[in-house]
Amino acid sequence: MDGAAGSGESPAQQALQSLSRRLRVQEEEMELVKAALAEALRLLRLQTPPTPLQGTVLPAPMRDSLVTPPGLPPTCSPSLVSRGTQTELDTEPQVTGPPGLSNGPRAPQEGSEEPGGTQFEGGGSSSSGTGSPGPPGVLKPLQPPQRADTPRRNSSSSSSPSERPRQKLSRKAASSANLLLRSGSMESRWGKDPLSSPGGPGSRRSNYNLEGISVKMFLRGRPITMYIPSGIRSLEELPIGPPPETLSLDWVYGYRGRDSRSNLFVLRSGEVVYFIACVVVLYRPGGGPGGPGGGGQRHYRGHSDCVRCLAVHPDGVRVASGQTAGVDKDGKPLQPVVHVWDSETLLKLQEIGLGAFERGVGALAFSVVDQGAFLCVVDDSNEHMLSVWDCSRGTKLAEIKSTNDSVLAVGFSPRDSSCIVTSGKSHVHFWNWSGGSGVPGNGTLTRKQGVFGKYKKPKFIPCFVFLSDGDILTGDSEGNILTWGRSLSDSKTPGRGGAKETYGIVAQAHAHEGSIFALCLLRDGTVLSGGGRDRRLVQWGPGLVALQEAEIPEHFGAVRAIAEGPGSELLVGTTKNALLRGDLAQGFSPVIQGHTDELWGLCTHPSQNRFLTCGHDRQLCLWDGEGHALAWSIDLKETGLCADFHPSGAVVAVGLNTGRWLVLDTETREIMSDITDGNEQLSVVRYSPDGMYLAIGSHDNMIYIYSISSDGAKSSRFGRCVGHSSFITHLDWSKDGNFIMSNSGDYEILYWDVAAGCKLLRNRYESRDREWATYTCVLGFHVYGVWPDGSDGTDINSLCRSHNERVVAVADDFCKVHLFQYPCARAKAPSRIYAGHGSHVTSVRFTHDDSHLISLGGKDASIFQWRVLGAGGAGLAPATPSRTPSLSPASSLDV
């Protein structure tokens, strides 16, 4: 059904209107074909004309229409166009010279207005009576304009009714003549169905209008027209293929300690292994205990969704990592799976359990006594299925329903692989596994529940550890450490297939205020416990005697995991996604830090390899890209959504979700300005290239412009850009600092003359050659090829052009970072695709010298720093202004 139909009409009425429109279109096409045939016959009768039309006396309107308008490329001529569900002839008005012909929306005369509101690029209209299309942040499905007999911008309202049919016939005669002049191009155009629909909601389609003038694409059925720069004579001249530049993951900021366990270990090589998003990080610390970071990172990137747990093989080389379930970009489910891989080569050795787990892998552990031959896995299904697998063959040996309560930890006894322990919500279970002679599926698992007896049953038992004498220590939500001992009868029958082992509580020690999140057995036989509420690390000797302790600073959060490094060095993961290094005597300092909630705001320093981030955790963080460390962070008290550096780099502007925006000194962190514009969230802040203005895009549909002092510290309201019919999403300044290009939530592309008083430029055609200091708008001729087929208009969250104008980086809603050539001006453009994020990618920005690209994960709170490599595999080559990349329908390249 054509999207122009009113939403209040019945299906039958809509169908009738659609058929009526198609009939009118066919009638017009028949008239056009008749006129073309008549003109062809008339031309054939001519004796020897110098050109197909020269020497023929044509009507005055027809002669005028055949003149190429000044300012247009010489290749542009009148032509038949396909405009969504209709085929019609149109004209493109120009500021000077006679009117030309166009098949897209016309660039209006300066100062002219269309009745009923001004028609803007992107298909939107604005008038004094137009309100917001809906709540901020919600994209409202919009319908393409109905075909109606509305006055044309270049038509005269004083023309009499008797003159209108004559004008219409003159235009048809001119177009008929042009059909003969450009028969080659028209043959290819007639190969398309002129009645095809622009697409319903969730579609993206593009078609070319008059060559050299404009292109049109559709998002959710809404037409978006973009004018082609005059320097591009033909889109076919643009080269084809993905960019020669590539990305290499250089550093990952953050650690997933907020909501996961079993996430921190030390390998035989001395590397620390942990995970965030879909990446398992192998980090080699630099400096001494308690010293600064500066080590290196390697990354295992074999997972297709977020990693949830880790286990290290007894050999200290092999690693098992389990991922959660997810969906791909087409909505197809991605099944949970366990990868067993080599930490030295980063090669996957075995894929275990594909299709056997539900929702995700919650916990896993290698056996110890038999050189890690078996792997125990607990999934996240309702029954929390417990299964045992043969690591070398990837076959399942036994499986059983565990419990309906959450399972937080699992482990093999280091003395007997037939003994498996699980703990979680209100339970400790002791399992006896009979391997069934190694035959897949023949093994059995039997459970004995731990009995608390006279001791208070805790709500959660998050962790446990095996002692060298066979006893088990558990840490619970009451802050107690319980010692579970084996009965004498069971201790006489060790080995797989023996009698059921029975454990009972033999001792209790109150260790922490609040829950105990981690227990770690050290090489000297002592045990470390990590507290949640009290943030204490306590070392315990035999008989649970406290030996020494240390407290983690409050801003790092509670202890989530503990790992023993070389010598007396300890690694501590915290619930605020920080990784600390040190010892109990000298204290701890951070080596890895990150955000704890969804990220949106990102900007890069104009002259240094530094960048700034903010998000829903209300933290504003400045990162050192050279040292891979956090330079400083402050608490904004509110959610930060956008930021931008002043061109001097001395101050930074930050937009918040309440309509407030702050200006901070980047050295002292002092707040220089605190201003509120409206009560809606701010989505973009951007300084002009000369630093004289600051533009602030809001969800109240307005762009606020401020004059800025030379040092960036003071600001005063200059004006407002009013005209968008939905919330502002992106904006860019021109290189001269006088103009702004902006996008909105309903896919409008508007241009503003700020120097002239924030005036809306109604003639969008005149902005086609304007050069932009940055290109972050996701809608525009230079980047429309980045949109995938079937897009609903929200699939691309962020876009950034490199400073040398060679490539475009794109952040999409499917956890991917794309690299396209620039300009990206052809549908189905190929790209290089990079995975790693476990959530929608919210923002991408190039550093000041284009040596690196920064990308932000949304819900996974991760920050990726990618190194940009040139065609030869080295750093990015110097800018080549004459190079104009291209796009082709070739398939994208997964990297």
Side-chain angles (χ1 to χ4, degrees):
M1 184 65 64
D2 188 276
S7 59
E9 299 176 351
S10 66
Q13 292 174 327
Q14 293 178 0
L16 184 60
Q17 291 180 2
S18 177
L19 292 174
S20 177
R21 283 193 296 271
R22 293 190 178 189
L23 181 60
R24 288 199 301 270
V25 169
Q26 292 175 355
E27 290 174 351
E28 292 179 359
E29 289 180 343
M30 291 299 297
E31 292 180 5
L32 184 59
V33 171
K34 290 178 181 179
L37 291 175
E39 183 67 20
L41 292 175
R42 186 179 61 79
L43 292 174
L44 289 175
R45 295 191 187 99
L46 298 179
Q47 295 287 329
T48 53
T51 62
L53 294 180
Q54 192 173 4
T56 305
V57 179
L58 301 177
M62 184 173 178
R63 291 198 304 270
D64 294 340
S65 65
L66 290 177
V67 178
T68 302
L72 294 184
T75 58
C76 300
S77 302
S79 62
L80 181 70
V81 301
S82 173
R83 183 181 288 180
T85 57
Q86 60 199 37
T87 303
E88 60 181 85
L89 289 164
D90 209 346
T91 58
E92 178 73 24
Q94 303 297 323
V95 178
T96 60
L101 296 176
S102 168
N103 33 357
R106 292 171 294 285
Q109 300 282 356
E110 186 68 29
S112 66
E113 290 188 6
E114 185 176 356
T118 302
Q119 186 70 29
F120 299 138
E121 183 168 344
S125 62
S126 175
S127 65
S128 58
T130 302
S132 173
V138 178
L139 294 179
K140 183 178 180 181
L142 299 169
Q143 304 295 337
Q146 294 188 9
R147 176 177 172 86
D149 295 328
T150 56
R152 300 182 181 271
R153 290 179 185 162
N154 62 340
S155 63
S156 172
S157 58
S158 61
S159 60
S160 64
S162 61
E163 294 176 349
R164 292 173 187 169
R166 188 178 306 166
Q167 294 175 355
K168 185 174 181 181
L169 289 175
S170 298
R171 287 197 299 271
K172 287 188 176 183
S175 294
S176 301
N178 186 63
L179 282 174
L180 299 176
L181 289 173
R182 304 192 59 186
S183 59
S185 62
M186 292 314 301
E187 289 176 358
S188 61
R189 292 176 188 235
W190 282 357
K192 299 179 181 179
D193 180 10
L195 300 179
S196 60
S197 169
S203 67
R204 201 272 292 149
R205 181 191 145 201
S206 64
N207 66 301
Y208 299 98
N209 291 321
L210 185 60
E211 291 186 17
I213 298 294
S214 65
V215 295
K216 182 184 291 186
M217 63 180 289
F218 292 85
L219 288 177
R220 298 182 68 89
R222 187 186 183 100
I224 303 171
T225 301
M226 295 154 287
Y227 292 99
I228 302 174
S230 59
I232 301 179
R233 298 179 59 86
S234 172
L235 296 181
E236 302 300 325
E237 296 176 357
L238 299 174
I240 297 174
E245 293 80 6
T246 60
L247 299 180
S248 173
L249 186 56
D250 181 41
W251 198 266
V252 176
Y253 298 85
Y255 152 83
R256 186 167 181 171
R258 176 187 54 177
D259 60 353
S260 66
R261 296 167 176 80
S262 301
N263 57 11
L264 181 63
F265 299 91
V266 177
L267 302 175
R268 186 179 67 184
S269 62
E271 292 175 300
V272 181
V273 58
Y274 60 93
F275 59 82
I276 182 171
C278 304
V279 177
V280 183
V281 181
L282 293 86
Y283 168 65
R284 182 179 295 279
Q297 281 188 357
R298 297 188 299 136
H299 310 97
Y300 176 76
R301 297 169 57 196
H303 286 282
S304 58
D305 215 290
C306 287
V307 182
R308 292 298 307 276
C309 53
L310 288 176
V312 175
H313 194 274
D315 63 11
V317 175
R318 283 175 281 179
V319 179
S321 49
Q323 75 173 51
T324 187
V327 294
D328 62 12
K329 64 178 298 183
D330 299 322
K332 297 180 181 178
L334 298 175
Q335 296 176 324
V337 69
V338 174
H339 288 187
V340 179
W341 47 279
D342 189 312
S343 63
E344 295 179 348
T345 64
L346 298 181
L347 296 178
K348 181 170 63 176
L349 305 176
Q350 191 66 257
E351 192 173 79
I352 292 177
L354 183 64
F357 308 128
E358 292 185 21
R359 297 182 183 171
V361 179
L364 46 78
F366 282 103
S367 61
V368 179
V369 71
D370 44 21
Q371 292 79 46
F374 306 105
L375 183 71
C376 183
V377 182
V378 181
D379 72 6
D380 285 332
S381 64
N382 291 337
E383 296 83 12
H384 296 94
M385 301 297 295
L386 171 66
S387 55
V388 180
W389 299 77
D390 185 315
C391 293
S392 61
R393 293 182 291 179
T395 55
K396 182 165 57 179
L397 303 178
E399 184 180 41
I400 192 172
K401 294 180 180 179
S402 171
T403 175
N404 289 332
D405 294 323
S406 300
V407 177
L408 304 178
V410 64
F412 282 95
S413 168
R415 303 174 63 185
D416 183 2
S417 294
S418 67
C419 177
I420 300 173
V421 179
T422 60
S423 69
K425 183 178 180 180
S426 302
H427 77 271
V428 177
H429 290 164
F430 304 95
W431 301 86
N432 187 79
W433 168 47
S434 174
S437 302
V439 179
N442 281 359
T444 59
L445 286 161
T446 56
R447 182 185 71 183
K448 184 170 181 62
Q449 186 166 338
V451 178
F452 290 89
K454 63 180 181 179
Y455 300 96
K456 181 180 179 181
K457 188 175 184 179
K459 188 174 182 180
F460 289 97
I461 300 95
C463 55
F464 64 85
V465 66
F466 289 93
L467 299 180
S468 57
D469 60 2
D471 289 346
I472 300 173
L473 299 183
T474 60
D476 59 39
S477 56
E478 302 295 325
N480 297 322
I481 297 178
L482 300 178
T483 304
W484 300 75
R486 297 164 62 178
S487 65
L488 290 177
S489 59
D490 289 331
S491 64
K492 295 179 181 179
T493 57
R496 189 179 302 117
K500 296 179 181 179
E501 294 181 336
T502 302
Y503 283 83
I505 300 175
V506 297
Q508 173 181 284
H510 186 70
H512 294 269
E513 295 298 327
S515 183
I516 299 175
F517 284 164
L519 291 172
C520 177
L521 179 65
L522 303 181
R523 287 186 293 267
D524 61 4
T526 60
V527 174
L528 273 177
S529 62
R533 186 185 306 169
D534 61 10
R535 307 184 314 280
R536 289 165 55 234
L537 277 171
V538 183
Q539 185 179 15
W540 304 89
L544 292 179
V545 177
L547 302 178
Q548 58 179 331
E549 66 177 63
E551 184 174 334
I552 302 300
E554 182 178 3
H555 60 276
F556 292 130
V559 177
R560 174 63 75 191
I562 307 169
E564 186 178 16
S568 62
E569 182 178 293
L570 298 173
L571 283 302
V572 178
T574 72
T575 56
K576 289 192 176 179
N577 293 356
L579 184 59
L580 311 180
R581 180 171 172 238
D583 56 36
L584 296 177
Q586 301 179 17
F588 295 85
S589 62
V591 291
I592 298 293
Q593 291 178 266
H595 285 270
T596 59
D597 208 341
E598 188 170 359
L599 292 176
W600 280 96
L602 170 66
C603 61
T604 53
H605 196 280
S607 59
Q608 302 174 16
N609 194 3
R610 290 188 163 199
F611 59 94
L612 188 140
T613 58
C614 57
H616 289 202
D617 61 358
R618 304 182 177 183
Q619 295 295 310
L620 179 69
C621 299
L622 179 66
W623 304 90
D624 180 3
E626 295 287 348
H628 304 132
L630 178 66
W632 54 256
S633 68
I634 63 170
D635 187 356
L636 294 172
K637 309 298 183 183
E638 296 176 7
T639 298
L641 297 177
C642 51
D644 193 40
F645 279 100
H646 187 270
S648 67
V651 298
V652 64
V654 183
L656 308 179
N657 67 331
T658 57
R660 288 178 60 213
W661 57 275
L662 312 174
V663 176
L664 296 93
D665 188 295
T666 56
E667 294 297 328
T668 65
R669 299 173 240 176
E670 177 186 357
I671 296 179
M672 313 297 291
S673 300
D674 186 342
I675 301 175
T676 300
D677 285 308
N679 55 5
E680 299 283 352
Q681 71 182 49
L682 304 180
S683 52
V684 56
V685 294
R686 186 85 70 237
Y687 282 100
S688 61
D690 54 11
M692 295 181 60
Y693 296 103
L694 174 65
I696 302 164
S698 172
H699 270 228
D700 63 6
N701 305 355
M702 285 184 273
I703 302 174
Y704 300 89
I705 307 296
Y706 281 79
S707 296
I708 305 297
S709 60
S710 58
D711 60 357
K714 297 180 181 179
S715 57
S716 60
R717 173 77 73 82
F718 178 80
R720 294 186 306 171
C721 298
V722 182
H724 273 293
S725 56
S726 184
F727 57 91
I728 313 302
T729 59
H730 307 83
L731 65 85
D732 292 292
W733 286 90
S734 61
K735 289 186 177 180
D736 58 13
N738 293 328
F739 301 91
I740 285 178
M741 170 176 58
S742 58
N743 294 167
S744 63
D746 59 351
Y747 324 126
E748 287 179 325
I749 308 173
L750 299 187
Y751 301 93
W752 312 86
D753 188 343
V754 176
C758 304
K759 178 183 177 182
L760 173 65
L761 299 178
R762 302 185 185 280
N763 191 340
R764 302 173 309 281
Y765 179 76
E766 290 186 342
S767 297
R768 72 193 189 283
D769 290 330
R770 189 158 287 125
E771 295 185 344
W772 303 101
T774 60
Y775 212 117
T776 61
C777 286
V778 298
L779 296 174
F781 169 78
H782 295 83
V783 298
Y784 87 93
V786 306
W787 287 90
D789 278 339
S791 175
D792 66 353
T794 63
D795 293 338
I796 293 178
N797 298 314
S798 178
L799 177 150
C800 182
R801 181 192 67 192
S802 62
H803 296 87
N804 61 14
E805 302 185 12
R806 293 170 59 99
V807 292
V808 171
V810 171
D812 72 15
D813 234 17
F814 311 107
C815 316
K816 301 296 189 296
V817 174
H818 299 253
L819 206 62
F820 293 87
Q821 295 202 55
Y822 179 85
C824 186
R826 190 177 296 178
K828 297 182 180 180
S831 68
R832 300 191 185 274
I833 306 175
Y834 299 89
H837 285 289
S839 177
H840 54 291
V841 186
T842 56
S843 187
V844 286
R845 290 291 183 272
F846 286 95
T847 55
H848 71 101
D849 58 357
D850 291 332
S851 62
H852 292 83
L853 175 73
I854 311 299
S855 63
L856 300 185
K859 293 292 187 181
D860 63 25
S862 64
I863 305 172
F864 286 10
Q865 180 173 312
W866 307 85
R867 184 178 299 278
V868 182
L869 304 178
L876 193 60
T880 306
S882 61
R883 174 180 176 273
T884 50
S886 109
L887 308 124
S888 75
S891 60
S892 298
L893 303 179
D894 289 315
V895 179

